[in-house]
Amino acid sequence: METRTARQWSVFYAYTAWSVVLIQAIFPLGVLLAFGTPVPALLAEAPAATAVLIVQMVVGAWSGHRALALWSAAALPEARDRWDLPQVGSIPADRSLLATAVPSAVIVLLQLLGLSAAPVLVASLTLLAAAALLRWRWQIGAAVAVATTVIAMAFGLSAPVAFPTGALLLAVVLTVRISLWLAAMVRELDDAREAQAQLAVAEERLRFARDLHDVTGRDLSVIAVKTELVAQLAERGDPRAAEHGREAAQIARTSLAEIRSLVRGYREADLATELQGTASLLRSAHVEVTVHGAAEDVPAARAGTAAWVLREGGTNILRHADPSAVEITLRADGVTMVNDGAPEEAEIREGSGLTGMRERLEDEATLEVRREGGTFTLDVRFTPTGGSR
């Protein structure tokens, strides 16, 4: 099955798959109940056929689970119905369906040899029909369920048995189809949520690019003009070329300092605005955000560092985790961000993001990360005096 990380899809897929398994396993018992024949009595009357039916129930349940795995790995259908909802199509058919048919053939043979009973045969054939109809469109399944009831009554099966059997077959088909439709909706919403989270990260990168352009665009234009002027003055032997050259070098040094200030997070930022922006960024990806404390709780001298930590931390959470909830805590001594949805690994592997944060914080603060189960904590503590980390 295709690997998907979002817990909403994982939970709903497990619910759908095991629902199909239980339906396939329990369905024959419902048919036997319609006949009013308990399994222990059938084991005494036709032990071989009943044992084969039990094997068929297990194989049918396995076949249904395998079919759901194949369905979940396939791409979502692009066709839409009149309510603009996805058409789930049909469950893929594979050789597991043939494995479900073999026990029915054995039971038919035992019936011809007088070693089976009618309830066992009907339960086996309707189980095979249900397993096959789940692979087809629900309209075909519904029509076959009705036809099965009519044909059964035409061959002398009593109405109290034929109607419950047909109703059970129809219920199986419709229940699985509804489950597939709901699963397709959850999967589509999951894909949309992932795309929205990626878009939020892209917007954050775009904002940084705009900031970088604002800082460097004007200075680079001035440097280009100055260097052209220096070249022209130098060609004419004008002594002013040296003066303009020094001015261009000074502008370049100033621009470089501003770039470093931007990258390292020293550029002045309003903590309250950054807190609101980070929370909005996470909520746009359907993440529940809880904030403890306020911007006023952080000393003014540390507000810029705290704002940068929120910006980088929020972006990294969306890039590297699949969070459903994030807690942000602002204190006088630091900032803490806790999110769920972190991959459970034996050890924390610090990539370029965490390494870059440590380098940019330098003597301003210490950075600690820890993982507990599926929870990831980013804890930044301000250094009281610019001491070493």
Side-chain angles (χ1 to χ4, degrees):
M1 187 185 68
E2 176 186 2
T3 300
R4 307 180 66 85
T5 57
R7 65 178 52 80
Q8 291 88 346
W9 165 251
S10 300
V11 171
F12 207 90
Y13 168 76
Y15 160 77
T16 304
W18 285 109
S19 295
V20 172
V21 169
L22 291 176
I23 288 173
Q24 290 277 82
I26 297 176
F27 173 66
L29 299 180
V31 175
L32 296 178
L33 182 63
F35 275 91
T37 307
V39 174
L42 287 175
L43 284 173
E45 179 183 354
T50 305
V52 173
L53 176 62
I54 294 175
V55 172
Q56 186 181 22
M57 292 166 58
V58 176
V59 174
W62 167 75
S63 174
H65 188 276
R66 179 181 172 83
L68 258 294
L70 294 174
W71 175 81
S72 67
L76 279 174
E78 297 181 358
R80 319 291 291 188
D81 61 17
R82 58 180 176 177
W83 292 292
D84 196 33
L85 298 174
Q87 294 182 1
V88 297
S90 60
I91 301 177
D94 61 351
R95 295 180 180 179
S96 66
L97 183 59
L98 296 178
T100 309
V102 171
S104 291
V106 174
I107 292 176
V108 170
L109 178 61
L110 292 175
Q111 181 72 23
L112 294 176
L113 296 175
L115 300 176
S116 181
V120 176
L121 178 61
V122 174
S124 175
L125 294 178
T126 51
L127 172 59
L128 178 60
L133 293 177
L134 293 181
R135 272 82 169 174
W136 297 339
R137 298 183 60 85
W138 70 268
Q139 293 92 336
I140 298 177
V144 171
V146 175
T148 299
T149 304
V150 175
I151 294 174
M153 294 182 64
F155 277 88
L157 197 64
S158 63
V161 174
F163 276 109
T165 302
L168 282 173
L169 185 58
L170 179 62
V172 167
V173 172
L174 294 182
T175 299
V176 173
R177 284 299 165 192
I178 292 174
S179 297
L180 289 179
W181 177 77
L182 291 175
M185 289 293 296
V186 172
R187 181 176 171 184
E188 190 174 59
L189 292 174
D190 173 36
D191 292 341
R193 177 181 178 272
E194 182 179 353
Q196 192 170 18
Q198 294 175 351
L199 179 61
V201 173
E203 289 178 347
E204 180 66 15
R205 290 175 176 172
L206 180 60
R207 186 181 73 165
F208 179 81
R210 288 197 301 265
D211 291 344
L212 185 62
H213 178 271
D214 293 341
V215 169
T216 61
R218 178 181 58 84
D219 291 340
L220 291 177
S221 299
V222 174
I223 290 173
V225 173
K226 285 284 186 182
T227 52
E228 290 178 0
L229 178 59
V230 169
Q232 295 175 4
L233 293 176
E235 290 176 354
R236 297 198 301 262
D238 194 322
R240 291 178 297 174
E243 178 182 353
H244 287 289
R246 285 190 291 270
E247 290 179 359
Q250 180 59 39
I251 294 173
R253 285 191 292 268
T254 302
S255 180
L256 181 59
E258 290 180 351
I259 293 175
R260 287 174 175 170
S261 175
L262 176 63
V263 174
R264 293 176 181 272
Y266 291 151
R267 190 180 183 193
E268 188 64 29
D270 181 70
L271 178 56
T273 301
E274 198 62 49
L275 176 62
Q276 182 179 2
T278 300
S280 177
L281 174 71
L282 294 170
R283 287 172 180 144
S284 69
H286 300 282
V287 179
E288 181 181 352
V289 181
T290 304
V291 179
H292 303 287
E296 293 76 15
D297 297 334
V298 178
R302 305 295 193 181
T305 302
W308 176 81
V309 169
L310 290 178
R311 181 189 307 171
E312 292 295 316
T315 303
N316 287 338
I317 287 174
L318 288 181
R319 289 179 59 188
H320 302 296
D322 178 34
S324 63
V326 174
E327 289 189 8
I328 300 174
T329 304
L330 298 176
R331 305 178 307 276
D333 62 342
V335 179
T336 301
M337 301 184 73
V338 182
N339 66 278
D340 62 357
E344 297 186 9
E345 300 176 356
E347 58 180 357
I348 298 176
R349 301 175 183 176
E350 294 195 6
S352 58
L354 290 175
T355 301
M357 290 183 71
R358 291 187 189 278
E359 293 175 351
R360 295 174 190 180
L361 287 173
E362 289 188 343
D363 294 336
E364 288 284 337
T366 59
L367 185 148
E368 179 186 353
V369 292
R370 56 183 178 274
R371 181 183 292 112
E372 299 173 358
T375 301
F376 186 84
T377 301
L378 172 68
D379 192 10
V380 175
R381 298 297 179 96
F382 305 132
T383 53
T385 58
S388 64
R389 292 172 293 163

